[in-house]
Structure formats: C-alpha cells, structure tokens
Amino acid sequence: MHDLKTLRLERLREEHIPAILQIEKVANGAPWSERSFRNELSHPHGVFFTALLEGKVVGYGGVWLLVDEAHITTVAVEETLRRNGIGRRIMLDLLKAAKERGMTCSTLEVRAGNVGAIKLYEGLGYAVTATRKGYYPDNKEDAVVMWMYELDKWEPPIR
Ligand SMILES: CC(C)(COP(=O)(O)OP(=O)(O)OC[C@H]1O[C@@H](n2cnc3c(N)ncnc32)[C@H](O)[C@@H]1OP(=O)(O)O)[C@@H](O)C(=O)NCCC(=O)NCCS
C-alpha cells in the first residue's frame, strides 16, 4: 500500500499530457489521442484532473457537465499503482466538482468485463441501468451504462 498523503489533484495542464499518454496506452484498449487530451485543457463544459504523487503523474480523470448531467469521460491510474485508492480519489473529486457546479445526476459507460471499475463506481453510488451491445469498436465488447441520480444530495461515502 502506498502512502497517499502526498497525492494531489490538479486541473489538467499541458505538461501533464506526455505522462498521461504513457498511462493511457496501457489503461485503455481504445486510447485517447493527444488531441483529445489537449481538448480537455480548454473544454468549455469539462473538468479534468491530473493526480500527482510526489510530483509524478499517476492518474487522471475527466467529466463533462452537460446541462444538469455529469458525464464521466475517462478515469485511469498507472498500472503499478492501482488498488491504492487513487482511482476512487479522482472520482470523488470529479463528483464533488460536478456537484459544486450544480449537476444533479451523473452517468458513465464502462466495459462489461471491467469488473474492478464497475465495483469502484458502485461503491460511489452508481448503479447499472442498461447495456449497450457491442459498443466498443476495438473488440465489440458490451458497454454497461451506469447512473447516479440525486448527485445534488450525494455525499462522499464513508469507508
Ligand atoms: C479502474 C481504475 C481507474 C481503478 O483505479 P484504482 O486506483 O486501482 O482504484 P482504487 O484503488 O481507488 O479502488 C477503489 C475500490 O474500487 C474497487 N476496485 C478497483 N479496482 C478493482 C479491481 N481490479 N478488482 C476489484 N475491485 C476493484 C474496490 O472496491 C476498491 O476498493 P479496495 O481496494 O479497498 O477493495 C484502474 O483500475 C484503471 O486505471 N483501470 C484501467 C482504466 C479503466 O478501466 N478505467 C475505467 C474506464 S470506465
């Protein structure tokens, strides 16, 4: 278990992107391009956080705020540092940021086989509401759609 006392979350900055791309290659079967991350630097409806441990980029996650809905766009943690609570912390900060900005619900899609991520989201208050057959183009995997209603009343779950 790593000591997360020095974990910091910052809004995405240009200098984080090279390290994010390295993590993304490993974390995502259909990796985002450099351009996609760059778009998050100035996305009018986006909040994107980089997680830094002792100054090193170890994870990231983003949300789009669409009217009243917080759509989680991505979350990933450097492979060797998983299961230390970093992904959960990124999600908590994204949800807090969305709630502060007046969002009342949150949704995301996740690969049906991504049991760990589904468990993480369920632990935060999301529930599976639907499946999209063959949603992911790289391997035709189904997507599970998850929703959290009443984000306006949501509080970070106590562990
Ligand atoms: C999903 C991901 C972001 C989770 O990050 P993480 O830092 O490892 O997650 P955390 O340590 O905060 O986990 C919090 C809880 O989520 C659940 N969880 C996370 N990963 C899990 C796994 N592989 N298996 C089972 N449960 C898991 C557990 O309940 C865990 O609590 P615990 O460790 O006390 O049991 C990380 O595995 C990752 O980067 N995966 C690749 C990218 C990805 O799949 N992103 C999601 C796309 S929708």
Side-chain angles (χ1 to χ4, degrees), residues 1 23-24 26-28 60 72-79 81-91 108-111 114-121 123 136 159:
M1 194 76 174
I23 297 174
E24 178 72 0
V26 178
N28 193 341
Y60 48 88
I72 302 294
T73 56
T74 188
V75 54
V77 171
E78 202 269 313
E79 196 174 25
L81 291 168
R82 291 183 191 158
R83 295 308 286 274
N84 284 293
I86 299 172
R88 187 168 189 274
R89 168 73 192 283
I90 296 168
M91 283 298 299
L108 55 84
E109 284 113 22
V110 52
R111 288 176 194 260
N114 196 345
V115 178
I118 292 171
K119 200 155 173 240
L120 165 66
Y121 303 138
Y136 291 98
R159 295 202 101 197

Short mmCIF file of all heavy atoms in Angstrom, two decimals, residues 1 23-24 26-28 60 72-79 81-91 108-111 114-121 123 136 159, ligand 1:
data_model
loop_
_atom_site.label_atom_id
_atom_site.label_comp_id
_atom_site.label_asym_id
_atom_site.label_seq_id
_atom_site.Cartn_x
_atom_site.Cartn_y
_atom_site.Cartn_z
N MET A 1 0.85 -1.20 0.00
CA MET A 1 0.00 0.00 0.00
C MET A 1 0.88 1.25 0.00
O MET A 1 1.80 1.35 0.80
CB MET A 1 -0.89 -0.06 1.25
CG MET A 1 -2.05 0.91 1.26
SD MET A 1 -3.39 0.38 0.17
CE MET A 1 -4.62 1.60 0.55
N ILE A 23 0.37 6.46 -19.63
CA ILE A 23 -0.58 5.69 -18.81
C ILE A 23 -1.74 5.21 -19.69
O ILE A 23 -2.19 4.06 -19.61
CB ILE A 23 -1.09 6.54 -17.63
CG1 ILE A 23 0.08 6.91 -16.70
CG2 ILE A 23 -2.20 5.82 -16.85
CD1 ILE A 23 -0.28 7.88 -15.58
N GLU A 24 -2.22 6.10 -20.54
CA GLU A 24 -3.39 5.82 -21.38
C GLU A 24 -3.16 4.61 -22.31
O GLU A 24 -4.06 3.80 -22.51
CB GLU A 24 -3.72 7.08 -22.19
CG GLU A 24 -4.87 6.95 -23.15
CD GLU A 24 -6.25 6.88 -22.49
OE1 GLU A 24 -6.34 6.92 -21.25
OE2 GLU A 24 -7.24 6.75 -23.24
N VAL A 26 -1.55 1.96 -21.79
CA VAL A 26 -1.68 0.71 -21.05
C VAL A 26 -3.12 0.53 -20.54
O VAL A 26 -3.65 -0.57 -20.51
CB VAL A 26 -0.70 0.72 -19.84
CG1 VAL A 26 -0.84 -0.54 -19.01
CG2 VAL A 26 0.73 0.93 -20.32
N ALA A 27 -3.75 1.65 -20.18
CA ALA A 27 -5.02 1.58 -19.44
C ALA A 27 -6.23 1.40 -20.35
O ALA A 27 -7.25 0.88 -19.90
CB ALA A 27 -5.20 2.87 -18.62
N ASN A 28 -6.13 1.84 -21.59
CA ASN A 28 -7.33 1.93 -22.41
C ASN A 28 -7.15 1.16 -23.71
O ASN A 28 -6.23 1.46 -24.49
CB ASN A 28 -7.61 3.42 -22.69
CG ASN A 28 -8.99 3.65 -23.25
OD1 ASN A 28 -9.64 2.73 -23.76
ND2 ASN A 28 -9.45 4.88 -23.16
N TYR A 60 -5.54 10.15 -13.85
CA TYR A 60 -6.30 11.29 -14.36
C TYR A 60 -7.76 10.89 -14.53
O TYR A 60 -8.10 9.70 -14.54
CB TYR A 60 -5.74 11.78 -15.72
CG TYR A 60 -5.51 10.65 -16.69
CD1 TYR A 60 -6.52 10.21 -17.54
CD2 TYR A 60 -4.30 9.97 -16.70
CE1 TYR A 60 -6.32 9.15 -18.40
CE2 TYR A 60 -4.09 8.90 -17.55
CZ TYR A 60 -5.10 8.48 -18.40
OH TYR A 60 -4.91 7.41 -19.23
N ILE A 72 -19.03 11.25 -16.83
CA ILE A 72 -17.62 10.90 -16.62
C ILE A 72 -17.06 10.41 -17.96
O ILE A 72 -17.60 9.48 -18.58
CB ILE A 72 -17.48 9.79 -15.55
CG1 ILE A 72 -18.09 10.22 -14.21
CG2 ILE A 72 -16.01 9.37 -15.39
CD1 ILE A 72 -17.41 11.36 -13.49
N THR A 73 -15.97 11.03 -18.41
CA THR A 73 -15.45 10.70 -19.74
C THR A 73 -14.32 9.69 -19.68
O THR A 73 -14.15 8.88 -20.58
CB THR A 73 -14.94 11.96 -20.46
OG1 THR A 73 -13.96 12.60 -19.62
CG2 THR A 73 -16.08 12.91 -20.74
N THR A 74 -13.51 9.74 -18.64
CA THR A 74 -12.41 8.81 -18.50
C THR A 74 -11.88 8.84 -17.08
O THR A 74 -12.02 9.86 -16.38
CB THR A 74 -11.26 9.15 -19.49
OG1 THR A 74 -10.29 8.10 -19.47
CG2 THR A 74 -10.58 10.47 -19.17
N VAL A 75 -11.30 7.72 -16.66
CA VAL A 75 -10.54 7.70 -15.41
C VAL A 75 -9.52 6.57 -15.53
O VAL A 75 -9.85 5.49 -16.03
CB VAL A 75 -11.44 7.56 -14.15
CG1 VAL A 75 -12.34 6.36 -14.22
CG2 VAL A 75 -10.62 7.51 -12.87
N ALA A 76 -8.29 6.83 -15.15
CA ALA A 76 -7.27 5.79 -15.24
C ALA A 76 -6.15 6.08 -14.24
O ALA A 76 -5.89 7.23 -13.88
CB ALA A 76 -6.69 5.71 -16.65
N VAL A 77 -5.51 4.98 -13.83
CA VAL A 77 -4.42 5.05 -12.87
C VAL A 77 -3.25 4.23 -13.42
O VAL A 77 -3.46 3.19 -14.05
CB VAL A 77 -4.90 4.50 -11.49
CG1 VAL A 77 -3.75 4.36 -10.51
CG2 VAL A 77 -5.98 5.41 -10.91
N GLU A 78 -2.06 4.70 -13.18
CA GLU A 78 -0.86 4.00 -13.63
C GLU A 78 -0.91 2.56 -13.08
O GLU A 78 -1.23 2.35 -11.91
CB GLU A 78 0.36 4.77 -13.12
CG GLU A 78 1.61 4.51 -13.89
CD GLU A 78 2.42 3.36 -13.32
OE1 GLU A 78 2.61 3.35 -12.10
OE2 GLU A 78 2.85 2.47 -14.09
N GLU A 79 -0.59 1.60 -13.95
CA GLU A 79 -0.87 0.19 -13.65
C GLU A 79 -0.26 -0.29 -12.33
O GLU A 79 -0.91 -0.98 -11.54
CB GLU A 79 -0.37 -0.67 -14.81
CG GLU A 79 -0.94 -2.06 -14.80
CD GLU A 79 -0.54 -2.84 -16.05
OE1 GLU A 79 0.50 -2.52 -16.67
OE2 GLU A 79 -1.27 -3.78 -16.38
N LEU A 81 0.35 1.22 -9.70
CA LEU A 81 -0.13 1.92 -8.50
C LEU A 81 -1.62 1.71 -8.23
O LEU A 81 -2.20 2.38 -7.37
CB LEU A 81 0.17 3.43 -8.62
CG LEU A 81 1.64 3.78 -8.55
CD1 LEU A 81 1.88 5.21 -8.97
CD2 LEU A 81 2.17 3.56 -7.13
N ARG A 82 -2.20 0.77 -8.95
CA ARG A 82 -3.65 0.55 -8.75
C ARG A 82 -3.91 -0.10 -7.40
O ARG A 82 -3.02 -0.67 -6.79
CB ARG A 82 -4.19 -0.33 -9.89
CG ARG A 82 -4.19 0.46 -11.19
CD ARG A 82 -4.78 -0.32 -12.35
NE ARG A 82 -4.50 0.40 -13.60
CZ ARG A 82 -4.49 -0.15 -14.80
NH1 ARG A 82 -4.78 -1.43 -14.95
NH2 ARG A 82 -4.21 0.59 -15.86
N ARG A 83 -5.15 -0.02 -6.96
CA ARG A 83 -5.63 -0.55 -5.68
C ARG A 83 -5.00 0.15 -4.48
O ARG A 83 -4.80 -0.44 -3.43
CB ARG A 83 -5.41 -2.08 -5.56
CG ARG A 83 -6.19 -2.91 -6.55
CD ARG A 83 -7.66 -2.64 -6.61
NE ARG A 83 -8.48 -3.12 -5.50
CZ ARG A 83 -8.99 -4.34 -5.43
NH1 ARG A 83 -8.77 -5.20 -6.39
NH2 ARG A 83 -9.76 -4.68 -4.40
N ASN A 84 -4.70 1.41 -4.66
CA ASN A 84 -4.23 2.24 -3.55
C ASN A 84 -5.21 3.35 -3.22
O ASN A 84 -4.89 4.24 -2.43
CB ASN A 84 -2.88 2.88 -3.90
CG ASN A 84 -1.75 1.89 -3.81
OD1 ASN A 84 -1.41 1.43 -2.73
ND2 ASN A 84 -1.19 1.53 -4.95
N GLY A 85 -6.34 3.37 -3.88
CA GLY A 85 -7.33 4.41 -3.60
C GLY A 85 -7.23 5.63 -4.50
O GLY A 85 -7.96 6.60 -4.31
N ILE A 86 -6.33 5.58 -5.50
CA ILE A 86 -6.14 6.77 -6.35
C ILE A 86 -7.35 6.97 -7.28
O ILE A 86 -7.87 8.09 -7.42
CB ILE A 86 -4.83 6.67 -7.16
CG1 ILE A 86 -3.64 6.57 -6.21
CG2 ILE A 86 -4.68 7.86 -8.12
CD1 ILE A 86 -2.30 6.26 -6.89
N GLY A 87 -7.82 5.88 -7.89
CA GLY A 87 -8.98 5.99 -8.79
C GLY A 87 -10.20 6.51 -8.04
O GLY A 87 -10.93 7.37 -8.54
N ARG A 88 -10.39 6.02 -6.84
CA ARG A 88 -11.53 6.46 -6.02
C ARG A 88 -11.41 7.95 -5.71
O ARG A 88 -12.37 8.69 -5.81
CB ARG A 88 -11.55 5.63 -4.74
CG ARG A 88 -12.76 5.87 -3.88
CD ARG A 88 -12.87 4.81 -2.79
NE ARG A 88 -14.14 4.93 -2.12
CZ ARG A 88 -14.38 5.75 -1.11
NH1 ARG A 88 -13.40 6.51 -0.64
NH2 ARG A 88 -15.58 5.82 -0.58
N ARG A 89 -10.20 8.38 -5.37
CA ARG A 89 -9.98 9.80 -5.04
C ARG A 89 -10.26 10.70 -6.25
O ARG A 89 -10.87 11.76 -6.13
CB ARG A 89 -8.55 9.95 -4.53
CG ARG A 89 -8.06 11.34 -4.41
CD ARG A 89 -8.66 12.09 -3.23
NE ARG A 89 -8.33 13.49 -3.37
CZ ARG A 89 -7.14 14.01 -3.09
NH1 ARG A 89 -6.18 13.26 -2.58
NH2 ARG A 89 -6.91 15.29 -3.28
N ILE A 90 -9.84 10.23 -7.44
CA ILE A 90 -10.10 11.02 -8.65
C ILE A 90 -11.61 11.13 -8.86
O ILE A 90 -12.14 12.22 -9.11
CB ILE A 90 -9.42 10.37 -9.89
CG1 ILE A 90 -7.89 10.39 -9.74
CG2 ILE A 90 -9.85 11.08 -11.18
CD1 ILE A 90 -7.15 9.51 -10.76
N MET A 91 -12.30 10.00 -8.72
CA MET A 91 -13.76 10.02 -8.91
C MET A 91 -14.44 10.91 -7.88
O MET A 91 -15.37 11.66 -8.21
CB MET A 91 -14.32 8.58 -8.81
CG MET A 91 -14.10 7.73 -10.04
SD MET A 91 -14.91 8.39 -11.52
CE MET A 91 -16.64 8.38 -11.02
N LEU A 108 -22.03 7.25 -16.75
CA LEU A 108 -20.79 6.82 -17.40
C LEU A 108 -21.05 5.50 -18.11
O LEU A 108 -22.04 4.83 -17.84
CB LEU A 108 -19.66 6.68 -16.37
CG LEU A 108 -19.90 5.77 -15.17
CD1 LEU A 108 -19.60 4.31 -15.49
CD2 LEU A 108 -19.04 6.21 -14.00
N GLU A 109 -20.14 5.18 -19.03
CA GLU A 109 -20.17 3.86 -19.67
C GLU A 109 -18.89 3.15 -19.30
O GLU A 109 -17.84 3.78 -19.20
CB GLU A 109 -20.18 3.97 -21.20
CG GLU A 109 -21.48 4.37 -21.79
CD GLU A 109 -21.37 5.75 -22.40
OE1 GLU A 109 -20.24 6.17 -22.73
OE2 GLU A 109 -22.41 6.42 -22.51
N VAL A 110 -18.99 1.84 -19.12
CA VAL A 110 -17.81 1.05 -18.76
C VAL A 110 -17.92 -0.30 -19.45
O VAL A 110 -19.03 -0.80 -19.67
CB VAL A 110 -17.68 0.94 -17.21
CG1 VAL A 110 -18.94 0.45 -16.55
CG2 VAL A 110 -16.49 0.11 -16.79
N ARG A 111 -16.77 -0.86 -19.81
CA ARG A 111 -16.79 -2.17 -20.46
C ARG A 111 -17.40 -3.21 -19.51
O ARG A 111 -17.04 -3.24 -18.32
CB ARG A 111 -15.36 -2.60 -20.83
CG ARG A 111 -14.79 -1.82 -21.99
CD ARG A 111 -13.34 -2.18 -22.25
NE ARG A 111 -12.75 -1.20 -23.14
CZ ARG A 111 -12.59 -1.38 -24.46
NH1 ARG A 111 -12.93 -2.51 -25.02
NH2 ARG A 111 -12.06 -0.41 -25.20
N ASN A 114 -15.14 -5.06 -17.22
CA ASN A 114 -14.26 -4.28 -16.33
C ASN A 114 -14.83 -4.29 -14.91
O ASN A 114 -15.32 -3.28 -14.39
CB ASN A 114 -14.12 -2.85 -16.87
CG ASN A 114 -12.95 -2.11 -16.25
OD1 ASN A 114 -12.41 -2.54 -15.23
ND2 ASN A 114 -12.57 -1.00 -16.84
N VAL A 115 -14.71 -5.48 -14.32
CA VAL A 115 -15.36 -5.73 -13.03
C VAL A 115 -14.85 -4.78 -11.94
O VAL A 115 -15.62 -4.28 -11.12
CB VAL A 115 -15.10 -7.21 -12.63
CG1 VAL A 115 -15.71 -7.53 -11.28
CG2 VAL A 115 -15.66 -8.14 -13.69
N GLY A 116 -13.54 -4.50 -11.96
CA GLY A 116 -12.95 -3.64 -10.94
C GLY A 116 -13.52 -2.23 -11.01
O GLY A 116 -13.90 -1.64 -9.98
N ALA A 117 -13.61 -1.68 -12.22
CA ALA A 117 -14.13 -0.32 -12.37
C ALA A 117 -15.61 -0.29 -11.97
O ALA A 117 -16.06 0.65 -11.28
CB ALA A 117 -13.95 0.16 -13.81
N ILE A 118 -16.37 -1.30 -12.36
CA ILE A 118 -17.80 -1.33 -12.01
C ILE A 118 -17.96 -1.33 -10.49
O ILE A 118 -18.79 -0.61 -9.93
CB ILE A 118 -18.50 -2.55 -12.68
CG1 ILE A 118 -18.52 -2.35 -14.20
CG2 ILE A 118 -19.91 -2.76 -12.12
CD1 ILE A 118 -18.98 -3.56 -15.01
N LYS A 119 -17.08 -2.11 -9.82
CA LYS A 119 -17.13 -2.15 -8.35
C LYS A 119 -16.80 -0.77 -7.75
O LYS A 119 -17.46 -0.32 -6.80
CB LYS A 119 -16.13 -3.21 -7.86
CG LYS A 119 -16.41 -3.68 -6.49
CD LYS A 119 -15.89 -5.06 -6.21
CE LYS A 119 -16.11 -5.32 -4.72
NZ LYS A 119 -14.86 -5.58 -4.02
N LEU A 120 -15.79 -0.13 -8.31
CA LEU A 120 -15.44 1.22 -7.85
C LEU A 120 -16.65 2.16 -7.95
O LEU A 120 -16.99 2.87 -7.01
CB LEU A 120 -14.26 1.74 -8.69
CG LEU A 120 -13.95 3.24 -8.64
CD1 LEU A 120 -13.46 3.64 -7.26
CD2 LEU A 120 -12.89 3.61 -9.69
N TYR A 121 -17.32 2.14 -9.12
CA TYR A 121 -18.44 3.06 -9.33
C TYR A 121 -19.62 2.71 -8.43
O TYR A 121 -20.29 3.61 -7.90
CB TYR A 121 -18.87 3.05 -10.80
CG TYR A 121 -17.75 3.39 -11.77
CD1 TYR A 121 -17.57 2.69 -12.96
CD2 TYR A 121 -16.85 4.41 -11.48
CE1 TYR A 121 -16.55 3.01 -13.85
CE2 TYR A 121 -15.82 4.73 -12.35
CZ TYR A 121 -15.68 4.02 -13.53
OH TYR A 121 -14.66 4.33 -14.39
N GLY A 123 -19.46 1.44 -5.53
CA GLY A 123 -19.08 1.88 -4.19
C GLY A 123 -19.29 3.38 -3.99
O GLY A 123 -19.40 3.85 -2.87
N TYR A 136 -18.07 -1.10 -27.88
CA TYR A 136 -16.65 -0.71 -28.05
C TYR A 136 -16.11 -1.24 -29.37
O TYR A 136 -16.09 -2.45 -29.60
CB TYR A 136 -15.82 -1.22 -26.86
CG TYR A 136 -16.18 -0.48 -25.59
CD1 TYR A 136 -17.07 -1.01 -24.67
CD2 TYR A 136 -15.66 0.78 -25.34
CE1 TYR A 136 -17.43 -0.31 -23.52
CE2 TYR A 136 -16.01 1.50 -24.20
CZ TYR A 136 -16.89 0.94 -23.29
OH TYR A 136 -17.25 1.64 -22.17
N ARG A 159 -15.90 5.20 4.22
CA ARG A 159 -15.39 3.83 4.09
C ARG A 159 -15.02 3.23 5.41
O ARG A 159 -14.56 3.94 6.28
CB ARG A 159 -14.14 3.83 3.22
CG ARG A 159 -14.38 4.25 1.83
CD ARG A 159 -13.30 3.73 0.93
NE ARG A 159 -13.77 2.55 0.24
CZ ARG A 159 -12.97 1.66 -0.37
NH1 ARG A 159 -11.69 1.79 -0.28
NH2 ARG A 159 -13.45 0.64 -1.03
C1 LIG B 1 -10.49 1.43 -12.79
C2 LIG B 1 -9.25 2.11 -12.16
C3 LIG B 1 -9.23 3.57 -12.56
C4 LIG B 1 -9.36 1.99 -10.63
O1 LIG B 1 -8.29 2.73 -10.06
P1 LIG B 1 -7.60 2.26 -8.70
O2 LIG B 1 -6.75 3.36 -8.21
O3 LIG B 1 -6.95 0.94 -8.86
O4 LIG B 1 -8.90 2.08 -7.78
P2 LIG B 1 -8.97 2.20 -6.20
O5 LIG B 1 -7.73 1.67 -5.58
O6 LIG B 1 -9.37 3.58 -5.86
O7 LIG B 1 -10.18 1.22 -5.89
C5 LIG B 1 -11.29 1.60 -5.10
C6 LIG B 1 -12.22 0.40 -4.99
O8 LIG B 1 -12.71 0.02 -6.28
C7 LIG B 1 -12.80 -1.41 -6.38
N1 LIG B 1 -11.78 -1.91 -7.31
C8 LIG B 1 -10.88 -1.16 -8.01
N2 LIG B 1 -10.16 -1.97 -8.82
C9 LIG B 1 -10.60 -3.22 -8.62
C10 LIG B 1 -10.25 -4.47 -9.17
N3 LIG B 1 -9.28 -4.60 -10.09
N4 LIG B 1 -10.93 -5.58 -8.77
C11 LIG B 1 -11.92 -5.48 -7.87
N5 LIG B 1 -12.30 -4.31 -7.28
C12 LIG B 1 -11.65 -3.20 -7.68
C13 LIG B 1 -12.51 -1.93 -4.99
O9 LIG B 1 -13.73 -1.95 -4.28
C14 LIG B 1 -11.56 -0.86 -4.46
O10 LIG B 1 -11.51 -0.81 -3.06
P3 LIG B 1 -10.49 -1.79 -2.29
O11 LIG B 1 -9.15 -1.69 -2.96
O12 LIG B 1 -10.50 -1.24 -0.90
O13 LIG B 1 -11.08 -3.16 -2.41
C15 LIG B 1 -7.94 1.40 -12.60
O14 LIG B 1 -8.07 0.00 -12.41
C16 LIG B 1 -7.56 1.65 -14.05
O15 LIG B 1 -6.88 2.61 -14.37
N6 LIG B 1 -8.01 0.74 -14.94
C17 LIG B 1 -7.74 0.92 -16.36
C18 LIG B 1 -8.58 2.03 -16.94
C19 LIG B 1 -10.04 1.77 -16.71
O16 LIG B 1 -10.53 0.66 -16.81
N7 LIG B 1 -10.77 2.87 -16.43
C20 LIG B 1 -12.20 2.83 -16.25
C21 LIG B 1 -12.83 3.09 -17.58
S1 LIG B 1 -14.60 3.34 -17.42
#
